[in-house]
Amino acid sequence: MTENTIGYRNTTTTRVAAKYVSMGLNHNEVIFKLFDYNKQHNSPPLDASEIFSIATHLSKYDKGNQ
């Protein structure tokens, strides 16, 4: 996977988070995996607050896996 530049980091990271949620991962697992994804694929990485915001936004779609 190629690095995401500034204009696409949030959108792409949100899509990745949605994929994790659809796989059945719980909120904490999604956060953990997003931090890893962010470090490896976003240049520069998103702020931690943005990762938490993305995960929190998508947690409403979590099917009871909290």
Side-chain angles (χ1 to χ4, degrees):
M1 191 172 253
T2 61
E3 288 188 350
N4 296 312
T5 57
I6 291 173
Y8 299 96
R9 296 175 304 156
N10 186 291
T11 301
T12 304
T13 303
T14 300
R15 288 180 182 162
V16 169
K19 179 180 175 186
Y20 293 151
V21 169
S22 74
M23 292 168 55
L25 299 180
N26 69 37
H27 182 71
N28 291 333
E29 292 168 326
V30 171
I31 290 171
F32 180 79
K33 291 188 79 63
L34 284 184
F35 271 105
D36 186 51
Y37 174 85
N38 187 44
K39 180 179 170 185
Q40 292 184 30
H41 298 285
N42 289 331
S43 181
L46 295 170
D47 290 336
S49 63
E50 201 160 356
I51 296 297
F52 284 116
S53 178
I54 291 168
T56 300
H57 173 74
L58 290 174
S59 69
K60 65 183 173 184
Y61 301 105
D62 189 346
K63 303 293 186 210
N65 293 322
Q66 301 249 352

